[in-house]
Amino acid sequence: MTVTATGISRENPARVDELVGTCAVADVAVVDAVVGRAREAQRAWSAVPVAERADALRTAADRIEPELDAIAELMARETGKPLADCRGESGFAVAVLRWAAERATALLVDREIDDAQGRLLLRHRPYGVVAAITPWNAPVILAVLKVGPALVAGNAVVVKPSPLAPFAVARFLGLVAEVLPPGLVDVVQGDAETATALVGHPGVDRVAFTGGDVAGRAIAGLAGRSLTPTLLELGGNDPAILLDDVALDDAAAERLVMASFATSGQVCMALKRLYVHRSRLDEVVDALRAAADRVLRVGDPLHAGVTMGPVVSAASAERVRGLAEDARGRGADVLPIGTTDPGTPLERGYFVSPTLVLGVPDAAPVVATEQFGPILPVLAFDSEDDAIARANAGDLGLGASVWSADEDRAFALSTRLDAGFTFVNTHNRTGISLRAPFGGVKRSGWGREYGDEGMLEHVQTCVVHAPAAFRDGGAGLGAAAYPS
């Protein structure tokens, strides 16, 4: 990737000599013009009944569906994600638009209470213009999780994608924009300077961000200067705890492998630390290696049968290899797993072998930090208290999982984990549900996406209240009295 003052050039991480495309960078003047158009469009849009806004989202979903294959191929080429994954992500994004349309008509209606305590009107009012700053690793779905709910709630949205994946999300949102009033949803491309111009713009009323903690801190600080409210979904160092009674059949082992290595491990909610009861450790390692041979094939994401592509950049590859070397230097066993696609020249891209790390201390960087790559430390524990204490170590708390043949036991243990979302007997995207709000605790951010809570993130509850004491026939209340 090359970013200059005027343009972005993005290479294919699986074939770094291949240019995926170029696009112009939005400078301060362009951002100002886009936000101005969004504010103008939002005023009229907020007056449209929620049922009509929902219908517009359904129309957008219909418009996108015929283009899903083209969007998926573009995403695979710019991100290095396997084509099937990209097709799944794009299709899921369409489902999110339909879900947002469906839930809005139930959630966002005004609610009026008229009883002995008085008359109370609860209204859901949009913020205005929402700035969405999105990452490269799931560029379409992580944009649509903001755009869909925000639009149907009556906001306008300006999206700033990652320069590592600028094209598929622009294509997807361009199709959404075709069926909506001009200016209501727009994309500005660029790097940190464009994000700064957007987040700091006085015409932006809310910021929704998904990404790493360094950028998250910068965005929260910038938004805080103007008291612009934020939604932050930041990184995670997700632990999984396999209890001594875990039912480890082939399907469970394959879920563990893909929970760790899908998108080359470059997922905020990927399984990143695997804690296994010592009595099951050897069995689990053997099962993971066998499952990886079945389901993990590294290669060009456009090739049939490939389930893991390259990492996103040369710097990422170097960082992950450095974690492996550091662990090896601490006496750990570093075990490559999976298979490779014979038709892929791996030297042509940013490919890193998927790897298990055994016998590494908890203080090692591969355990203590978010790896964000295809490397998984497998760690033995002796008691539930030991597993919980080690899983809760660190300042991140996005996801976690507990694996047990006894669901009640897993649920009970899950309540002791410092995580915003805890999966049971699965992890990562196979455990996500549209009805279940997702987000982190501790330094993994604030606010929620998915679920009704995710929809309500994009509105403010406003109240009109006539206390019973001052209505006709009311008993009255002293001018300085407290309510009773």
Side-chain angles (χ1 to χ4, degrees):
M1 175 197 71
T2 302
V3 181
T4 68
T6 58
I8 298 170
S9 299
R10 174 57 175 153
E11 76 278 12
N12 182 337
R15 314 174 208 148
V16 297
D17 54 339
E18 176 188 295
L19 181 66
V20 178
T22 61
C23 60
V25 165
D27 61 16
V28 172
V30 170
V31 170
D32 183 60
V34 168
V35 172
R37 288 196 300 269
R39 291 198 71 78
E40 186 66 26
Q42 191 273 333
R43 293 187 187 98
W45 180 245
S46 64
V48 173
V50 65
E52 293 182 27
R53 299 198 298 256
D55 285 342
L57 254 64
R58 295 186 185 99
T59 300
D62 292 342
R63 174 67 184 90
I64 292 162
E65 280 187 320
E67 308 293 334
L68 287 178
D69 287 340
I71 292 169
E73 182 173 340
L74 186 56
M75 191 193 310
R77 293 177 61 227
E78 66 182 340
T79 65
K81 291 171 59 169
L83 184 59
D85 284 359
C86 294
R87 180 61 174 77
E89 177 181 329
S90 300
F92 185 49
V94 170
V96 167
L97 290 178
R98 297 191 189 283
W99 163 81
E102 182 69 24
R103 289 304 299 148
T105 55
L107 278 179
L108 302 183
V109 294
D110 290 349
R111 180 183 173 207
E112 187 166 335
I113 302 169
D114 194 342
D115 58 18
Q117 297 183 59
R119 184 177 177 186
L120 180 65
L121 174 64
L122 303 173
R123 300 173 52 235
H124 293 299
R125 179 179 177 181
Y127 280 90
V129 175
V130 175
I133 314 296
T134 59
W136 62 266
N137 59 332
V140 170
I141 187 59
L142 291 175
V144 171
L145 281 168
K146 300 162 181 59
V147 169
L151 283 176
V152 79
N155 301 281
V157 190
V158 180
V159 179
K160 205 293 290 181
S162 166
L164 288 165
F167 303 119
V169 65
R171 175 83 63 87
F172 190 104
L173 295 179
L175 296 171
V176 175
E178 282 184 11
V179 302
L180 295 174
L184 200 57
V185 58
D186 214 332
V187 175
V188 292
Q189 303 283 9
D191 207 342
E193 290 185 9
T194 304
T196 297
L198 180 60
V199 172
H201 196 287
V204 166
D205 302 292
R206 182 164 174 79
V207 175
F209 170 78
T210 300
D213 67 319
V214 174
R217 291 171 192 269
I219 284 172
L222 179 59
R225 294 177 194 172
S226 54
L227 299 180
T228 303
T230 56
L231 184 161
L232 300 181
E233 197 265 272
L234 306 179
N237 192 11
D238 287 20
I241 299 175
L242 271 60
L243 298 177
D244 55 0
D245 67 345
V246 63
L248 195 66
D249 58 12
D250 286 352
E254 290 168 9
R255 286 199 304 280
L256 281 164
V257 167
M258 295 313 295
S260 304
F261 296 102
T263 316
S264 302
Q266 300 166 121
V267 179
C268 60
M269 61 178 174
L271 194 171
K272 300 186 177 77
R273 296 175 286 154
L274 181 57
Y275 295 95
V276 182
H277 193 274
R278 194 174 301 277
S279 66
R280 304 290 299 274
L281 182 63
D282 291 343
E283 174 194 353
V284 167
V285 172
D286 289 345
L288 291 175
R289 298 181 76 174
D293 285 343
R294 294 192 300 271
V295 302
L296 204 57
R297 175 177 287 192
V298 180
D300 190 304
L302 297 181
H303 288 189
V306 165
T307 58
M308 189 185 118
V311 294
V312 72
S313 67
S316 293
E318 182 179 358
R319 179 179 51 78
V320 175
R321 292 186 185 115
L323 291 172
E325 286 306 309
D326 175 86
R328 187 178 283 112
R330 296 169 186 265
D333 292 326
V334 179
L335 306 177
I337 58 173
T339 63
T340 58
D341 172 41
T344 299
L346 299 180
E347 70 281 357
R348 194 177 171 191
Y350 305 130
F351 290 97
V352 177
S353 296
T355 302
L356 299 179
V357 179
L358 311 178
V360 66
D362 285 7
V366 74
V367 179
T369 62
E370 181 182 18
Q371 313 98 0
F372 217 69
I375 185 167
L376 177 67
V378 183
L379 309 146
F381 71 88
D382 295 300
S383 69
E384 289 185 4
D385 287 345
D386 174 36
I388 290 293
R390 293 163 67 190
N392 285 341
D395 60 359
L396 299 179
L398 189 59
S401 63
V402 178
W403 302 62
S404 171
D406 183 340
E407 187 176 280
D408 289 340
R409 183 185 179 195
F411 265 72
L413 197 68
S414 296
T415 62
R416 299 171 60 192
L417 288 168
D418 294 337
F421 197 112
T422 301
F423 307 91
V424 171
N425 290 326
T426 194
H427 202 119
N428 208 334
R429 67 181 181 225
T430 56
I432 288 291
S433 169
L434 284 172
R435 72 175 185 173
F438 182 86
V441 298
K442 299 198 292 189
R443 301 296 183 190
S444 287
W446 51 76
R448 293 296 180 263
E449 294 183 321
Y450 294 99
D452 290 351
E453 289 83 351
M455 177 76 69
L456 295 174
E457 286 284 350
H458 296 284
V459 292
Q460 303 171 88
T461 301
C462 297
V463 170
V464 181
H465 185 214
F470 308 113
R471 301 178 74 186
D472 288 345
L477 196 65
Y482 284 93
S484 59

